[in-house]
Amino acid sequence: MREFLLGLRLLLGSGRGNRVRFLLMVTGSAIGVCCLAAVLAIPDILAAQDGRKAARYPDCDRKDYEGYCIATAGDSFELTRTDPYGSEPLTRVFVARGGNPIEPPPGLSELPAPGDVFVSPRLRETLHQEPGLAQLVPGKDRGLIAAPGLAHPDELYAYVGVARDDLEEAYRVTTFGKEYPPSPTVESSALDIVRFTLVGVVLLPLAVFLSVCARLSAAARARRLAALRLLGLSTRGTQRVNAAETVVAALLGAVLGLGAYWVVNQCVSRTGLPGFKWYPSDGALSVSTVLVCVVGCTALAWFVGRTSARKAAANPLAVRRSAVEKPPGKWGLLPLVPGLGIVAAYCVAGALGRPPRDTGLSSILMPLAVVLVGAGLVLTLPILTRTLARRLAGSTRSISFGLAMRRNEVEPGGALRVATGLVLLVFSASLVQGVLIELDQVTKHTSPVQMYKIPLDGVTDEKRQAWEKVKGLQGHAVVMDSWTDFDFARPSPVISAVIATCDQLRAMVPKVGSCVDGRPARLWDPNQVHDEEGKPGMVFPFHLRQEKQRRVMQVKVPRQTLPYRDHAGLLAFGTGDVLLPPSALPSGFRPEKATLVLLSSSAPETVRAVLDSIAAVDPTIEVRTPGIVVTSLQQITVVKTLLAVGMVLGLIIGVAAYLVAATDRAVERRPQVTALALLGARPRTLRAVQVAQVVLPLAVGLVLAVVTGKLAESSYLVTGGGAIFWDGAGVPLLLGAALGVVVVAALGALPLVGRRIDPELIRRD
C-alpha cells in the first residue's frame, strides 16, 4: 500500500509533462476498452435476437410419443411463409383462430381475426412505399408488432388472420415459444468466421495497443524509478510504484471506455448498420463484459507496469547512466516459427490439390496460427530492425541515415512502438480480405435467370394458369414425377416428365436441338450427371386425377433423344427426363404430384415483381427460389457488417496506437534532438534522421505483414473449402495500403524537430 500511495504522489507532483502523459494513458485505455466492449457485446446482441425468435415460434404442447400434435376440437392453426425481399427475409405467419383460447405471441395483445393483419414497423413503411407488396399480406392493418415480438427493429414480419378453409396446408398451434430459434441470426459456422476475424483484427492489435499505452514515456519513467531504487526502495517496491501508476490509468480508462461504449451503443443502435440493427437494450453491458474490461485491462496494465520496471529495479545505475541496452533475444522468433509452419502447411496442401477435410481441427489451428503470427510480428521486429540497422550503419556514408541507423541499433524498440499498430493493421486487412473472398464465393449469383418452383398439390387450374401469365416471366413448364410405392423395402425407380411444347422448352433452356411438337422425346444434357433409372423402353406409371376420379397413365421412355443445354448452376430439368406434349394428358385430368417451374431474369426488381404477382394469386403458396436462400443471404449480410465493424475498430486501434506512440516518442526524444541541435546538426538533417528512424522498421514490418498476411489469407481460403485459394487481385490493394502507411508515418515523424532549441531539456536530473 505504501508503494501504491508513493506512485500516486509521484504522479500528481511530477510536473505538467507527467500529468499530460497520464491523461494520454487514460485516453488510450478508454479507446481500447470501448473497442473491447463492442467486440464482447456482439454475442450478447445475437443471443438477444435469437431469444426473441425462439419466444414467438409456434408450437404444440400436446404431443404423442411420436412427436405429433394431438388433435382436439377448436384448435388454432398456423402457416409460416418466408420469402425473399431483396436480400432480406419477409416472414408471414397466417393464423386461423380456433375456439380454444391460446396466449398470443410476444408483441401482440391478441391473435389476428380473419381479415386482420399485424405488421412490424419496417413492414408498414415498406407497404406505404410499395403498395404492390400488400398482396403478400392481405387484410386490414390492425396495429404494429411490439419490440418483444421482433428480432430487430428492421425486421419484415407480419401476422395475417385467415379462415381455416383458406389454409390448404397448416399446423396446429397451442402455444408460442421454444427453447431454440428455428433459424439463428448467425449460424455457428458463420459465427466462427466472425470470431476468427475479430481475434486477428481487433483483439490482437488491442492487446498491443493497451501495452503501448501502459509503457508511455518508458525511458523517463525508468530513470525516475532507478532514482527511487538508489534511494533505498526495494526491487518489488520499485515495480509496484510503476505498476500503481499504470493501474490507476487503466482503471480510469476502463471506466471512461465503458461510458463511451454506452453512448456509442445508444446512438448506433438507433441509426443501425447496413444489414444489421438492434435494440439498445440488446447491446447493454453485461456484468461479465464489465468484469472482463475492467479486470482484464487493469491486470494487463499491472503486468506491463511491473515488467517495464524490472530493468530499473534490477540495475538502476545502468539506467541512470543511459547504458547501452542488451540486444533483443532470439526468443522473439518463437511464436512466428510455429505460426508460419501451420499456414505454410495449409498453403502446400492447397497447392497440391489436397485441402484438409477435418474442419474441426482447422477451426482450432487457424485462429491459433493467426495469433502466433501476429504476436511473432511484434516480437520479431526488434530483432530484424537491429540486425538490419547495424549493417546499414556500417556501410552508409550519409550522416543523417547513419545517425538514424545507430539509434535503431541502440534502441530498436523505440520506433517500433510507433510502427507496431500500423503493421498489425495491414496484417489484419489481408485476413479480412480472405474472409470476404470466401463469403463472396457463397453469395455470388452468376446465373442470368431466376427460377421459381411451385408445388401444384391442391392447386386449381385457374391459379396455375394465372401464374403462367405473370408479367416478367420468360417461360414456364409443368414437371410431374412418376408414382412409387414406398411400402416396399426397395422403392421402385422414379423419373420426371416435362409437360411442355417445343416453344415452351426453348423459352426455359438456352439451347434445344431439333424438337418436333407432339412427339415425346428423352431430354439429354451431356453436361449433367445421368441417372440410370430411366432407360429407353422402360415404362413408368403417373397418377392423374379429375376431382374424385383417379387414373394411371403409363409412360414409356422413348428412344428418341432430344439434346439440350440447361443453365449452368440452375437446372430447370434433369437429363433423362421425358418431354411430353400437353395433349398427352387425358382431357380434364391433371397429375397428382407435379411442380410448376417458372423462369425470369435475375434482376432484383424483376424477381421482386414476379414474387408479388405470385402472391397476388395465392399469398399462402410456397414458392421455392433456387439460388436464393434468403436466410443465408441475411446471415452473410450480418457477418459482412460485423467484419466491417471489426475493420473499423481495428483501424481506430491502429491509428490510435500510432498517434499515442508518436506523441509519446516526440516528448521522449526531445532531449536527444536538442543535444544534436546544440552540437550543430541542421534541422533538415534532424528531420531526415527522424523520418529514416521510423520508416526503416516500419518498412521491414510492413513487408513481413504483407507476406505473412497473404500466407494466412491463403491458408484460411484453403481450409474454407472454396474454389479460390490464391488472391492475386488483393496484392496491389495491400501494397497501396502499406505505401500509404509509410507516408503517414513519415509525415508524423517530422514534427519531432521544432524550430526552438530549449537547453533546459538536457539538464541533469
Side-chain angles (χ1 to χ4, degrees):
M1 190 63 184
R2 181 170 61 91
E3 291 86 355
F4 182 79
L5 295 177
L6 177 59
L8 294 182
R9 292 184 63 183
L10 289 174
L11 171 64
L12 299 175
S14 53
R16 187 182 65 178
N18 267 351
R19 288 193 290 270
V20 171
R21 174 179 51 79
F22 178 76
L23 292 177
L24 198 61
M25 293 170 63
V26 171
T27 303
S29 299
I31 295 173
V33 169
C34 182
C35 294
L36 178 61
V39 172
L40 295 178
I42 290 175
D44 294 337
I45 294 174
L46 298 178
Q49 294 185 359
D50 290 342
R52 287 192 292 273
K53 284 184 179 181
R56 71 188 183 194
Y57 186 75
D59 198 9
C60 178
D61 55 5
R62 302 189 314 264
K63 295 182 180 180
D64 56 19
Y65 67 95
E66 292 183 350
Y68 295 102
C69 186
I70 300 175
T72 60
D75 280 344
S76 299
F77 290 83
E78 66 84 24
L79 180 65
T80 302
R81 290 284 183 247
T82 301
D83 300 300
Y85 180 77
S87 60
E88 302 177 73
L90 193 160
T91 304
R92 300 165 296 152
V93 181
F94 296 91
V95 180
R97 293 197 307 191
N100 300 331
I102 63 173
E103 189 73 20
L108 294 183
S109 58
E110 60 176 351
L111 289 176
D116 293 344
V117 176
F118 291 94
V119 296
S120 64
R122 167 78 188 289
L123 183 54
R124 175 180 284 182
E125 295 177 4
T126 307
L127 289 172
H128 287 311
Q129 297 170 0
E130 300 184 30
L133 200 63
Q135 299 170 118
L136 291 173
V137 283
K140 188 174 182 180
D141 189 348
R142 291 297 185 183
L144 292 175
I145 304 173
L150 299 174
H152 54 84
D154 269 358
E155 190 173 22
L156 298 171
Y157 208 87
Y159 289 95
V160 183
V162 295
R164 176 65 185 93
D165 296 338
D166 294 335
L167 294 180
E168 296 290 342
E169 177 186 355
Y171 303 93
R172 297 179 185 272
V173 56
T174 61
T175 183
F176 288 89
K178 207 171 184 179
E179 187 176 356
Y180 301 103
S183 58
T185 304
V186 178
E187 293 284 353
S188 58
S189 58
L191 195 57
D192 290 339
I193 296 176
V194 176
R195 292 193 185 102
F196 163 78
T197 309
L198 293 181
V199 165
V201 175
V202 180
L203 297 184
L204 183 60
L206 181 60
V208 175
F209 173 53
L210 293 177
S211 300
V212 168
C213 293
R215 291 201 62 197
L216 293 181
S217 296
R221 291 163 67 188
R223 289 175 62 82
R224 187 180 63 189
L225 294 173
L228 293 176
R229 180 73 179 93
L230 292 173
L231 289 175
L233 194 63
S234 65
T235 300
R236 291 187 176 180
T238 304
Q239 292 178 331
R240 290 170 184 163
V241 168
N242 189 48
E245 184 177 357
T246 57
V247 165
V248 171
L251 191 58
L252 290 178
V255 174
L256 291 177
L258 294 176
Y261 168 77
W262 183 86
V263 174
V264 170
N265 176 57
Q266 295 294 322
C267 296
V268 177
S269 62
R270 285 172 169 80
T271 59
L273 299 172
F276 186 50
K277 198 172 182 180
W278 65 96
Y279 292 104
S281 58
D282 296 345
L285 292 170
S286 62
V287 177
S288 59
T289 300
V290 173
L291 290 177
V292 169
C293 292
V294 175
V295 177
C297 183
T298 306
L300 179 62
W302 172 265
F303 174 77
V304 173
R306 287 181 59 89
T307 303
S308 59
R310 186 176 300 167
K311 180 180 178 181
N315 195 354
L317 286 176
V319 174
R320 293 296 301 175
R321 295 173 180 174
S322 301
V324 178
E325 295 184 4
K326 292 183 179 180
K330 298 296 174 63
W331 61 269
L333 296 171
L334 188 60
L336 187 63
V337 173
L340 285 179
I342 295 174
V343 298
Y346 279 126
C347 291
V348 171
L352 296 177
R354 298 179 179 178
R357 303 296 181 186
D358 189 355
T359 57
L361 181 61
S362 298
S363 64
I364 298 174
L365 289 181
M366 274 309 304
L368 178 62
V370 169
V371 173
L372 290 175
V373 172
L377 280 177
V378 177
L379 299 176
T380 305
L381 283 179
I383 304 172
L384 298 180
T385 301
R386 183 180 183 277
T387 303
L388 184 60
R390 185 175 184 179
R391 293 186 179 181
L392 293 177
S395 59
T396 184
R397 295 183 179 181
S398 171
I399 295 178
S400 57
F401 192 69
L403 285 174
M405 294 304 100
R406 289 303 181 189
R407 168 55 62 180
N408 282 340
E409 179 187 356
V410 173
E411 190 187 0
L416 288 176
R417 291 205 303 271
V418 180
T420 300
L422 300 177
V423 169
L424 288 178
L425 182 61
V426 173
F427 174 73
S428 302
S430 183
L431 285 178
V432 175
Q433 198 169 237
V435 175
L436 293 177
I437 289 172
E438 184 188 20
L439 293 177
D440 186 61
Q441 294 183 76
V442 177
T443 59
K444 185 178 291 184
H445 186 54
T446 58
S447 177
V449 297
Q450 178 57 52
M451 202 170 297
Y452 315 85
K453 295 186 176 183
I454 304 175
L456 294 179
D457 300 348
V459 175
T460 63
D461 290 336
E462 290 76 12
K463 290 183 179 180
R464 177 183 60 80
Q465 293 170 4
W467 286 326
E468 293 174 352
K469 297 177 181 178
V470 165
K471 185 179 179 180
L473 291 180
Q474 296 179 0
H476 61 85
V478 174
V479 179
M480 62 178 184
D481 298 329
S482 63
W483 178 83
T484 185
D485 191 352
F486 291 100
D487 293 336
F488 287 96
R490 184 179 179 183
S492 56
V494 178
I495 66 166
S496 297
V498 180
I499 312 299
T501 63
C502 291
D503 290 339
Q504 289 176 334
L505 182 64
R506 293 189 185 99
M508 292 293 293
V509 295
K511 185 177 180 181
V512 180
S514 179
C515 180
V516 179
D517 278 322
R519 187 171 67 182
R522 185 169 177 246
L523 297 176
W524 186 262
D525 185 355
N527 296 323
Q528 295 186 37
V529 178
H530 173 56
D531 191 352
E532 295 293 339
E533 287 188 342
K535 297 181 179 180
M538 295 181 63
V539 179
F540 292 86
F542 287 83
H543 284 211
L544 309 177
R545 64 183 176 87
Q546 181 184 24
E547 295 180 354
K548 296 183 179 181
Q549 299 182 27
R550 296 290 187 270
R551 184 172 177 178
V552 177
M553 181 178 70
Q554 302 291 339
V555 175
K556 183 178 181 180
V557 179
R559 299 188 182 276
Q560 177 69 30
T561 300
L562 176 59
Y564 79 104
R565 190 184 68 209
D566 214 328
H567 298 280
L570 199 65
L571 303 180
F573 314 119
T575 185
D577 291 353
V578 176
L579 175 65
L580 295 178
S583 58
L585 294 179
S587 178
F589 283 87
R590 50 179 296 183
E592 280 192 347
K593 187 177 181 182
T595 302
L596 176 63
V597 182
L598 308 175
L599 194 72
S600 75
S601 73
S602 60
E605 59 276 6
T606 303
V607 175
R608 181 72 266 149
V610 170
L611 289 174
D612 290 345
S613 300
I614 293 174
V617 179
D618 186 353
T620 64
I621 196 67
E622 179 186 4
V623 183
R624 296 194 293 268
T625 52
I628 300 179
V629 183
V630 65
T631 53
S632 299
L633 289 179
Q634 187 194 33
Q635 288 189 27
I636 291 173
T637 301
V638 172
V639 170
K640 286 185 175 180
T641 301
L642 295 179
L643 293 181
V645 171
M647 274 304 297
V648 170
L649 294 178
L651 180 62
I652 293 174
I653 293 170
V655 173
Y658 169 74
L659 293 176
V660 169
T663 304
D664 175 59
R665 185 170 177 271
V667 176
E668 197 175 61
R669 290 283 296 137
R670 282 188 303 171
Q672 289 84 0
V673 173
T674 302
L676 291 174
L678 290 176
L679 291 174
R682 294 181 298 177
R684 181 182 301 175
T685 302
L686 293 176
R687 290 191 179 94
V689 169
Q690 298 302 323
V691 170
Q693 189 177 339
V694 172
V695 166
L696 177 70
L698 181 59
V700 173
L702 290 177
V703 170
L704 278 176
V706 171
V707 174
T708 56
K710 294 304 296 181
L711 286 174
E713 174 193 351
S714 298
S715 62
Y716 174 78
L717 291 174
V718 169
T719 58
I724 298 177
F725 290 168
W726 323 110
D727 172 34
V731 174
L733 178 62
L734 283 179
L735 294 179
L739 181 61
V741 166
V742 171
V743 172
V744 171
L747 294 176
L750 294 178
L752 290 176
V753 180
R755 295 182 178 180
R756 188 174 65 88
I757 298 176
D758 186 6
E760 187 69 14
L761 293 173
I762 59 174
R763 63 182 174 86
R764 289 185 175 273
D765 292 342

